[in-house]
Amino acid sequence: FIGLVLLGRINHFQVTMSMITFSDNKAGMAGLDKEKIQKIIDQSSGESFSSFAKKKQERLEKQQNEIRAKMYGMSEATKKYHQREMAELCLLLETQRSLDRDCVHIDMDAFYAAVEMRDDPRLRDIPMAVGGSSMLSTSNYAARQFGVRAGMPGFIGLRLCSHLEIVPTNFDKYISESRVLSSILSDYDPSLTMGSLDEAYLDLTDYLMGRVHPVRHNRVRYSGDCVCRLPLLGTNDQLPVGPSTQREETCPKCTKIRIIHEDEVEFGVGRSEVVKEIRFRVEQATGLTCSAGIAPNFMLAKVCSDQNKPNGQFELENDLHKVNEFVRELPTRKVAGIGRVSEAHLSALGMNKCGDIISLAYLLPCAFSTLGVESMLRVGLGLGSNMHSRDSSESSRKSISIERSFSPTSDSKVLTEMLQDLCNALSEQASTKIRSASGLSLKVKLSSFDVLTRCASVPIGCDLLDADRMFTLGKVVLLNLLSEGKELRLLGVRLYKLIERSDENQREEKGESVLDMLKKGRVNSEKGEKKEEEGEDAIIVVEKRRDRESVWDMLKRRRVNKVKEGGEEEEDEDEIIVLEKEGDDTPLCPVCRRCMKGMDETQMNWHVDECLNKKSIKDLLMSDYVRREENPATQVKRVKSKTQQKTMLNFFPKSG
C-alpha cells in the first residue's frame, strides 16, 4: 500500500508537469528540447490564455485528488470484489477477440503541407506550415524539428522558428487529392471508411482471399535539373522487373530538362505486399507519400501506422502472443481516444502503459464510469473494432456541426452575419445525408478561452435543417450571450436529434406493424432463424446479434442466472421464442405469450409495451439485487431476528 501511495505521488508530479509542458508525441518531434520550447510558448501566450490554462490545470488536479482519495480509501474487501469483477470482464471481452481479419490504417504524411510542397518545390527544404497566424493546420517535418506542430497558433510558430513560412489553406486541392486516395483504396475495400481527408481504414480480408498471383504495375519516376514532378528517382527504390526506358522533356513550369524513367514493379500476394502496392499506387497518382499500419483490428492498425512514419509501414502479426507483447509496452497516449485528461486520470492510478491497465484493472472504477472501464479494458487488452462503423446496423450519425474561429469580437452585426454563413454551410452540408433535425446547439469560445454550449430543441416534425429556421433559433441564443457583454473568439453550430435518409429508407423497407411482426414469426426469416418441429408444434427461434450486448449486460445476465431459484437456467435474453400450432393464425404476445385474438393494432401495441416495461423493471430490480448482494462496499448488514423487521404493525402504537 505504501508503494502504491508513493507511486501515486510520483505519477501526480509527472501528470502535473505533462499538462503544462510541450507535447512531442507527433511523428518527427522526438528528441526536442521541450523546456526551451515551453519557455518560448509561455512567453508568447497572452494573459487570457495563461489564466485559462491555469484554471484547466487546477480542475485536473482536483479530479486527480478525488481519484487518489477513492484509490487510497479502498478497503480490502472492495479491492477483492473489483479484482474479481475485472477478471470476469476481461474473460468476457476475450471471447470477442478476433484474429482472422486483415485491418489496415492508411495515413498520409503531413498531408496539407505535402500537397503545398509538391506544388511549390521551394517549400520542400525549408520549415513551413499550413494555416494562419491564429492557427496552424499542419507543419512539415523540417518545421517539427523546431517544435512547430498542428493546433499551434501561427504567431507562436514564428517565435519558435523565425524563418517559418506559413502558407494559407487550400481545401479545394486537399479534397481533390483525398478523392484520388479514396478511389485507389476502394479497389481493395469498397466499404472503406475515411477517417478524415488524409486517413482511411480498410479491411483487406476479402481482397486477400482472391489475391492468388503477383501483380505488376507501371512505374514513372523523375530526375534531372527539374524537380517539379514527383516522385523523384531514389537510391532505395524497389528494383524493377523487365526492361526500363528513359526520355527527356522540358518542364513548362521551370523550363528545365526533366528525365522520365519508366519501368515495371511487382508486388506479391501477402498483406504486407498488398499494402506496399497501395502506398506505391497512391504515390504514383498523387506524388504524395503515406504510411500504413497492419493489425488484427483498426485500433491497433492506427497505432501501427505511426510506428514507421514518414513513408513506411508496420505490421503486427495476427498472433495473440505478439499482440499482447506489443500492447503491454504501448504508452497509453499512443492509443486514439486517450487524450491529455484520460492520460492524466490513468497516470494518477499508476497506469502509464497499456499493460498497466490490466495489472491494475481493479483501480479503474476509481476514475471511470462503467462504460469508461470497459473502454479502458479494451485498450489494455488490445481489443478494437475490426468491422467498419457503417457495417453496424445500429450505427448512425448522432450530430453534425461546423465552427469557425476568429479574432475576439463582441460586434453583434459581425457575429450574426457569421452565424448566418455557418447555418447556410451546415444546411448545405447536412442536406445530402440528413432528412431532418430537431435539436440545435450553439458553441462559443470566449476571449478568455472558456467554452460555453447552449442547446435548444423543437418538437419532432419542426425541421431545423432549413438554414433560415436554424439561424432564427441560433440568433436568439447568440443575442442572449452577447447581452451579457461577452466577447467571442469562436462560433459553432451543431444539429442533433437527427433522422438520416438511410434510416428513413430502412424504415420504409422494414416498416411493419406489430401484427406484421407477430405473423412474421411463422414465416421464414432472412436472418438465421432456426425451426424445430415437435409433433404438431413448431418453435421458431429468432437469434439476435450478440455483439449488440455490452460486456456489463453479459456479466449481469450471468449473475442473474446464478441466483435463480432451484438453479434453473434463465431463458436467453437474446432469443425470442414463439410457440404456436401449425396453421394457427392466432397472434401471441412475444413477451408473455398471451393470446391477443380480437385486439386491434393499437391495443396490441399497448399490450406489448406494457409487457416490455414489466420485464425491464423486473430485470432492473434483479440486477440491483445482485449488485447489492455482491458488492461489499454497499452491502447492508442482514437482520437475523424476524421480530426486528418492520411490518405494518410497527407503525401503530402497542396496546396496553
Side-chain angles (χ1 to χ4, degrees), residues 453-635:
T453 304
R454 297 291 183 267
C455 300
S457 59
V458 296
I460 296 177
C462 299
D463 187 19
L464 289 175
L465 197 59
D466 179 74
D468 292 334
R469 292 179 185 171
M470 198 189 311
F471 172 71
T472 301
L473 186 58
K475 183 180 178 181
V476 174
V477 180
L478 177 63
L479 293 179
N480 285 338
L481 286 171
L482 294 177
S483 65
E484 301 173 11
K486 299 186 184 298
E487 198 174 48
L488 312 184
R489 64 186 313 123
L490 178 143
L491 183 62
V493 183
R494 179 174 69 96
L495 292 175
Y496 59 99
K497 294 185 179 179
L498 309 179
I499 297 178
E500 293 187 272
R501 294 190 181 278
S502 58
D503 290 344
E504 186 184 37
N505 295 337
Q506 288 176 6
R507 287 192 187 97
E508 290 176 358
E509 293 174 4
K510 301 179 181 179
E512 48 191 355
S513 66
V514 175
L515 186 59
D516 293 331
M517 289 188 285
L518 294 173
K519 288 181 178 179
K520 191 175 180 179
R522 302 175 188 81
V523 186
N524 56 338
S525 173
E526 296 178 356
K527 295 185 177 181
E529 294 184 352
K530 299 178 181 179
K531 187 172 182 179
E532 301 176 3
E533 293 190 3
E534 297 179 5
E536 296 182 353
D537 295 338
I539 301 178
I540 299 179
V541 182
V542 183
E543 296 186 344
K544 292 185 177 179
R545 290 175 51 188
R546 287 190 175 275
D547 58 357
R548 294 180 185 174
E549 183 182 39
S550 75
V551 68
W552 289 96
D553 293 333
M554 294 168 65
L555 185 60
K556 287 177 181 178
R557 182 156 52 82
R558 286 179 58 179
R559 290 177 175 175
V560 169
N561 289 341
K562 290 180 182 179
V563 299
K564 292 289 286 182
E565 293 184 2
E568 295 178 1
E569 188 173 349
E570 188 186 31
E571 181 180 279
D572 196 335
E573 292 176 6
D574 283 340
E575 299 176 351
I576 301 175
I577 302 177
V578 180
L579 298 177
E580 62 181 26
K581 290 184 178 181
E582 193 173 350
D584 187 4
D585 291 332
T586 303
L588 301 175
C589 173
V591 182
C592 70
R593 302 179 185 174
R594 174 186 169 186
C595 174
M596 294 195 291
K597 187 174 182 180
M599 296 185 186
D600 58 23
E601 188 174 340
T602 303
Q603 291 171 327
M604 288 182 181
N605 273 312
W606 286 344
H607 177 84
V608 173
D609 286 343
E610 186 179 2
C611 287
L612 290 173
N613 287 335
K614 288 179 180 178
K615 188 174 185 301
S616 298
I617 293 171
K618 178 184 175 183
D619 291 344
L620 182 63
L621 292 174
M622 181 61 76
S623 63
D624 183 66
Y625 167 77
V626 172
R627 179 181 60 80
R628 287 188 287 105
E629 286 293 303
E630 294 195 1
N631 189 350
T634 59
Q635 198 170 38

Side-chain angles (χ1 to χ4, degrees), residues 74-88:
M74 184 182 293
S75 67
E76 192 65 27
T78 303
K79 176 182 174 180
K80 289 181 178 179
Y81 167 75
H82 286 314
Q83 284 176 333
R84 185 174 68 253
E85 186 176 51
M86 294 301 111
E88 288 185 58

Side-chain angles (χ1 to χ4, degrees), residues 30-248:
L32 300 182
D33 188 345
K34 295 171 65 175
E35 292 185 5
K36 179 182 177 181
I37 294 172
Q38 184 60 44
K39 185 177 180 180
I40 295 174
I41 293 175
D42 290 340
Q43 292 173 350
S44 305
S45 300
E47 184 179 348
S48 297
F49 181 78
S50 298
S51 175
F52 171 72
K54 184 179 179 181
K55 286 193 293 184
K56 283 184 66 177
Q57 181 61 29
E58 290 173 352
R59 201 157 48 234
L60 180 70
E61 289 179 356
K62 181 180 178 182
Q63 294 171 359
Q64 291 175 305
N65 290 333
E66 291 173 353
I67 291 171
R68 292 190 196 94
K70 293 179 182 178
M71 182 172 66
Y72 301 152
M74 184 182 293
S75 67
E76 192 65 27
T78 303
K79 176 182 174 180
K80 289 181 178 179
Y81 167 75
H82 286 314
Q83 284 176 333
R84 185 174 68 253
E85 186 176 51
M86 294 301 111
E88 288 185 58
L89 288 172
C90 287
L91 288 174
L92 287 172
L93 286 170
E94 277 292 347
T95 63
Q96 301 176 10
R97 187 186 295 275
S98 173
L99 295 171
D100 59 354
R101 309 300 296 181
D102 299 299
C103 299
V104 177
H105 179 253
I106 301 290
D107 191 10
M108 302 298 291
D109 299 321
F111 183 49
Y112 297 173
V115 172
E116 301 298 339
M117 290 190 295
R118 179 200 62 185
D119 297 342
D120 186 355
R122 180 182 59 84
L123 300 172
R124 296 177 191 171
D125 299 320
I126 64 172
M128 60 85 62
V130 177
S133 60
S134 59
M135 190 60 62
L136 299 178
S137 298
T138 190
S139 60
N140 66 359
Y141 288 92
R144 293 180 189 184
Q145 290 300 305
F146 292 88
V148 181
R149 57 167 295 163
M152 174 180 288
F155 68 88
I156 292 182
L158 289 169
R159 298 280 179 87
L160 292 170
C161 179
S162 58
H163 54 289
L164 176 73
E165 182 150 346
I166 300 178
V167 179
T169 56
N170 187 335
F171 280 99
D172 289 338
K173 285 200 298 186
Y174 311 148
I175 292 172
S176 176
E177 298 303 327
S178 180
R179 286 172 178 164
V180 175
L181 170 67
S182 176
S183 175
I184 294 171
L185 299 182
S186 62
D187 291 342
Y188 301 86
D189 181 9
S191 301
L192 72 97
T193 299
M194 295 295 295
S196 60
L197 289 178
D198 65 338
E199 66 172 337
Y201 297 87
L202 297 85
D203 186 348
L204 296 182
T205 310
D206 295 339
Y207 176 83
L208 290 171
M209 290 178 65
R211 176 86 170 235
V212 293
H213 300 293
V215 175
R216 290 189 178 188
H217 290 280
N218 294 326
R219 177 173 61 178
V220 180
R221 293 170 294 169
Y222 305 94
S223 65
D225 295 333
C226 170
V227 293
C228 295
R229 294 288 298 273
L230 296 176
L232 299 177
L233 182 68
T235 56
N236 296 323
D237 290 345
Q238 183 176 344
L239 295 175
V241 291
S244 60
T245 61
Q246 295 183 12
R247 56 187 175 89
E248 293 183 355

